[in-house]
């Protein structure tokens, strides 16, 4: 189905600082590149938010019928500390600490990244290239930049000449930084480097004797610059000009700014039509930081083994919580916010699962078609997931009114309501219905929980509220929510 022909998407373009109507280069097809993780440690929740933001974009474009080539790289070489320009290679540093080969570190944390994304029910990208697998392409770009006069070699390393580039182009247009201001702020450091100017960035670095990861090049045995990797991999798989480039807000400068400079200097055209940036996460009102300890990993969130939140939350609840904020806004992780989101998630899933028991009528007291378009309108407005979720809760109110006999719906409207809810909850938001498990497992689980409900009922009858509360709370800890009603106690998973 080509729904995209009837839906006009507007994307906030970080380059122009405006919402623009999305018009792909090729009708019906979209090329999207997202900067992936540097695999030297467990992926953290801030990373996850970025990747889930673009999973949402990927899912919605696919839902509309676009053929999407989604490329997300793995940085497994070249990303030095201090914005990838100097200091230690974090992969080598971790290899020394853990007494592993560097590629063992890469493999270990790449696997962790994939497993974490799978728990969040994120779709894998179409192509997942690695920096080490594209050394040839990176060397070719460096050679071209030298030929074009935008790069120079110094003591076996090659640097991009930012001042030369700025005479013909505009360096800083994505981040809004002026080169004159950068020069003023860094002039005193000029003599401390082999670069012509402090603003110049590395395209190829000569490896020190102790640097294990190295490759031969026309200039030295060394390794590519961090910014070069993404230019090489994005253009290889998406072409010299493609539709969407995404990443975290922290990558806007210098990483994405340098990508634009490299691509414009080597290909003489703007590489990307729409730049998108996801904002950061905070934890209990403060910036997430490993150095301060104000940080939480996905595994710690799912297991409850953390000092920040005090209890466990399922991947679906955490994902649902993140989508209740727009991808361009700062989002704070806190116990109170996650608990509220968990209740909302269960309410939404309960409403969806009750649709099969709704009775139909001769007329509807709710315009399902208008509501359906409002869901599309939300996503068409720069992938506005919080507005979409608000619309899903509007439908939830209507479903609850239908259950209580306070509203009516026709058979065709019920089918359209169910299909739309299913499409946006599962296909677009990519949530998992935790109430659905395999038949055999479901039977065993139902028997075990029913027994615990019976024991809890006995405890309450004996006024042993400590035991009844303990059963309820500990079931909730593992994602089983008990609900007391007139007909007795039921449960749901989430």
């Amino acid at each position: 189905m080509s729904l995209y022909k009837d839906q006009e998407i507007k994307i906030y373009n970080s380059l122009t600082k405006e919402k623009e109507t999305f018009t792909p280069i090729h009708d019906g097809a979209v090329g999207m590149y997202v900067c992936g993780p540097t695999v030297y440690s467990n992926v953290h929740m801030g990373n996850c938010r970025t990747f889930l933001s673009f999973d949402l974009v990927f899912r919605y474009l696919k839902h509309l019928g676009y053929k999407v080539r989604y490329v997300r790289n793995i940085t497994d070489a070249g990303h030095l500390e201090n914005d990838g320009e100097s200091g230690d290679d974090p992969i080598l540093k971790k290899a020394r600490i853990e007494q592993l080969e560097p590629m063992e570190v890469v493999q270990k944390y790449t696997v962790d990244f994939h497993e974490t994304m799978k728990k969040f029910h994120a779709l894998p990208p179409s192509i997942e290239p690695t920096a080490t697998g594209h050394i040839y392409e990176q060397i070719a770009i460096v050679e071209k930049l030298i030929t074009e006069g935008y790069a120079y070699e110094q003591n076996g390393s090659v640097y991009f000449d930012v001042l030369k580039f700025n005479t013909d182009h505009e360096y800083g247009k994505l981040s809004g930084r002026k080169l004159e201001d950068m020069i003023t702020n860094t002039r005193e450091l000029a003599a401390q480097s082999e670069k012509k100017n402090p603003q110049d960035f590395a395209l190829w670095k000569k490896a020190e004797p102790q640097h294990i990861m190295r490759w031969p090049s026309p200039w030295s045995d060394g390794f590519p610059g961090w910014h070069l990797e993404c230019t090489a991999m994005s253009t290889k798989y998406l072409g010299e000009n493609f539709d969407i480039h995404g990443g975290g807000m922290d990558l806007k400068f210098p990483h994405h700014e340098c990508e634009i400079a490299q691509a414009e200097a080597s290909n003489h055209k703007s590489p990307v039509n729409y730049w998108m940036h996801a904002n950061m996460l905070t934890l209990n009102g403060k910036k997430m930081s490993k150095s301060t300890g104000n940080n939480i990993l996905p595994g710690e969130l799912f297991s409850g083994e953390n000092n920040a939140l005090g209890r466990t939350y399922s991947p679906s609840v955490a994902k649902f919580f993140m989508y209740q904020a727009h991808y361009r806004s700062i989002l704070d992780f806190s116990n109170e916010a996650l608990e509220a989101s968990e209740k909302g998630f269960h309410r939404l899933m309960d409403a969806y699962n009750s649709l099969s028991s709704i009775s139909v009528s001769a007329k509807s007291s709710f315009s399902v078609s208008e509501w359906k378009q409002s869901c599309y309108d939300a996503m068409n407005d720069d992938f506005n997931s919080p507005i979409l979720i608000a619309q899903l809760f509007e439908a939830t109110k209507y479903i609850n009114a239908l259950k209580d006999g306070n509203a009516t719906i026709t058979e065709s409207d019920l089918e359209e309501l169910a299909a739309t809810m299913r499409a946006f909850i599962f296909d677009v938001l990519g949530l998992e219905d935790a109430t659905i498990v395999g038949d055999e497992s479901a039977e065993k689980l139902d028997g075990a929980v029913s027994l615990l409900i019976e024991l809890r009922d006995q405890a309450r009858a004996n006024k042993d509220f400590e035991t009844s509360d303990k059963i309820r709370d500990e079931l909730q800890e593992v994602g089983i929510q008990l609900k007391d009603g007139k007909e007795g106690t039921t449960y749901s998973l989430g």
Side-chain angles (χ1 to χ4, degrees), residues 342-360:
E342 184 176 58
K343 289 174 184 173
F345 174 75
H346 289 142
R347 193 163 70 248
L348 176 63
M349 287 303 184
D350 286 348
Y352 172 75
N353 288 322
S354 68
L355 280 169
S356 59
S357 61
I358 297 293
S359 300
V360 297

Side-chain angles (χ1 to χ4, degrees), residues 136-146 228 231-232 235 266:
Y136 170 81
E137 290 84 355
Q138 293 171 76
I139 289 174
I141 293 175
V142 176
E143 289 177 323
K144 192 172 182 181
L145 288 170
I146 292 173
L228 183 64
T231 296
T235 56
S266 60

Side-chain angles (χ1 to χ4, degrees), residues 360-377:
V360 297
S361 179
K363 63 177 184 177
S364 297
S365 54
F366 178 85
S367 177
V368 174
S369 60
E370 286 183 16
W371 166 80
K372 178 180 178 179
Q373 186 56 47
S374 72
C375 292
Y376 281 102
D377 290 343

Side-chain angles (χ1 to χ4, degrees), residues 53 70 195 334 337:
S53 295
Y70 173 23
K195 304 175 188 178
S334 71

Side-chain angles (χ1 to χ4, degrees), residues 92-278:
L92 295 180
K93 193 173 180 180
K94 200 61 175 275
R96 287 196 296 270
I97 292 169
E98 298 192 5
Q99 295 186 318
L100 298 171
E101 283 290 328
M103 293 313 288
E104 283 184 276
V105 172
V106 165
Q107 179 69 10
K108 176 181 177 180
Y109 293 111
T110 300
V111 168
D112 169 74
F113 171 60
H114 289 155
E115 289 179 347
T116 300
M117 288 295 101
K118 191 173 181 181
K119 286 175 185 173
F120 277 119
H121 204 223
L123 297 174
S126 315
I127 302 173
E128 192 173 52
T130 63
T132 55
H134 295 77
I135 300 297
Y136 170 81
E137 290 84 355
Q138 293 171 76
I139 289 174
I141 293 175
V142 176
E143 289 177 323
K144 192 172 182 181
L145 288 170
I146 292 173
T147 302
E148 294 281 348
Y150 291 108
Y152 58 92
E153 185 264 340
Q154 191 80 358
N155 299 327
S157 293
V158 183
Y159 297 95
F160 187 90
D161 193 331
V162 170
L163 267 64
K164 170 71 167 74
F165 174 78
N166 202 56
T167 60
D168 309 313
H169 303 79
E170 182 187 354
Y171 183 78
K173 62 184 175 183
L174 179 66
S175 60
R177 302 187 184 206
K178 296 293 181 188
L179 186 57
E180 299 78 25
D181 297 335
M182 293 185 236
I183 291 170
T184 301
N185 293 333
T186 58
R187 186 159 293 168
E188 69 277 5
L189 301 174
Q192 300 176 14
S193 170
E194 61 187 12
K195 304 175 188 178
K196 288 182 182 177
N197 304 286
Q199 293 73 34
D200 296 349
F201 56 88
L203 296 167
W204 186 266
K205 292 283 284 184
K206 180 181 179 180
E208 298 297 326
Q210 70 274 17
H211 201 102
I212 304 169
M213 299 175 81
R214 59 174 67 214
W215 294 264
S217 80
W219 316 286
S220 65
D221 279 5
F223 53 93
W226 172 39
H227 315 306
L228 183 64
E229 299 170 1
C230 287
T231 296
M233 289 183 278
S234 62
T235 56
K236 179 178 174 68
Y237 297 108
L238 298 174
E240 293 178 355
N241 174 235
F242 55 94
D243 297 301
I244 297 171
H245 193 314
M249 197 76 78
D250 58 321
L251 297 181
K252 191 183 285 188
F253 187 89
H255 185 52
H256 292 160
E257 200 74 74
C258 295
E259 277 192 63
I260 291 174
Q262 290 167 161
E264 288 187 353
S266 60
N267 300 323
H268 309 290
K269 62 178 73 172
S270 179
V272 178
N273 290 353
Y274 303 89
W275 284 90
M276 297 178 66
H277 291 91

Side-chain angles (χ1 to χ4, degrees), residues 54-68:
F54 290 101
D55 184 60
L56 180 69
V57 174
F58 183 35
R59 284 175 173 276
Y60 186 59
L61 293 172
K62 282 167 65 72
H63 170 73
L64 291 182
Y66 283 109
K67 182 181 179 181
V68 186

Side-chain angles (χ1 to χ4, degrees), residues 266-491:
S266 60
N267 300 323
H268 309 290
K269 62 178 73 172
S270 179
V272 178
N273 290 353
Y274 303 89
W275 284 90
M276 297 178 66
H277 291 91
N279 217 324
M280 62 186 284
L281 281 181
T282 57
L283 179 61
N284 293 322
K286 297 177 183 177
K287 182 179 178 181
M288 282 199 188
S289 169
K290 289 182 182 178
S291 60
T292 62
N294 192 56
N295 184 54
I296 188 166
L297 299 175
E300 294 169 341
L301 180 70
F302 306 152
S303 68
E305 295 174 4
N306 65 82
N307 299 320
L309 298 175
R311 52 156 297 197
T312 136
Y313 293 97
S314 72
S316 281
V317 167
K319 186 178 187 179
F320 185 66
F321 168 70
M322 285 189 270
Y323 286 160
Q324 285 184 288
H326 191 265
Y327 76 88
R328 286 192 289 114
S329 64
I330 293 174
L331 175 62
D332 184 54
F333 254 63
S334 71
N335 218 43
E336 296 76 16
L338 279 160
E339 281 184 354
S341 190
E342 184 176 58
K343 289 174 184 173
F345 174 75
H346 289 142
R347 193 163 70 248
L348 176 63
M349 287 303 184
D350 286 348
Y352 172 75
N353 288 322
S354 68
L355 280 169
S356 59
S357 61
I358 297 293
S359 300
V360 297
S361 179
K363 63 177 184 177
S364 297
S365 54
F366 178 85
S367 177
V368 174
S369 60
E370 286 183 16
W371 166 80
K372 178 180 178 179
Q373 186 56 47
S374 72
C375 292
Y376 281 102
D377 290 343
M379 287 302 291
N380 292 341
D381 183 16
D382 196 28
F383 310 98
N384 201 322
S385 57
I387 300 298
L388 169 62
I389 289 170
Q391 292 301 332
L392 294 175
F393 279 131
E394 283 298 311
T396 296
K397 286 183 197 172
Y398 178 46
I399 294 166
N400 289 335
L402 288 169
K403 287 185 342 192
D404 295 338
N406 297 324
T408 56
I409 191 168
T410 65
E411 185 173 357
S412 61
D413 272 358
L414 180 61
E415 288 175 0
E416 186 173 27
L417 176 63
T420 306
M421 289 280 281
R422 183 166 57 251
F424 281 99
I425 292 172
F426 304 121
D427 296 346
V428 175
L429 292 175
L431 299 171
E432 285 192 286
D433 187 353
T435 62
I436 298 175
V437 293
D439 291 342
E440 186 179 342
S441 299
E443 194 175 323
K444 292 177 180 177
L445 176 65
D446 190 59
V449 176
S450 295
L451 175 61
L452 288 168
I453 289 172
E454 188 180 324
L455 292 172
R456 180 170 173 262
D457 288 343
Q458 289 175 7
R460 289 202 293 178
N462 295 331
K463 300 193 183 313
D464 182 3
F465 299 115
E466 183 179 349
T467 298
S468 70
D469 289 348
K470 181 179 174 65
I471 292 171
R472 180 200 63 206
D473 294 344
E474 293 202 4
L475 282 173
Q476 186 169 310
E477 286 286 316
V478 295
I480 300 172
Q481 185 93 10
L482 297 185
K483 298 170 190 174
D484 298 318
K486 295 177 185 176
E487 309 274 325
T489 302
T490 59
Y491 73 93

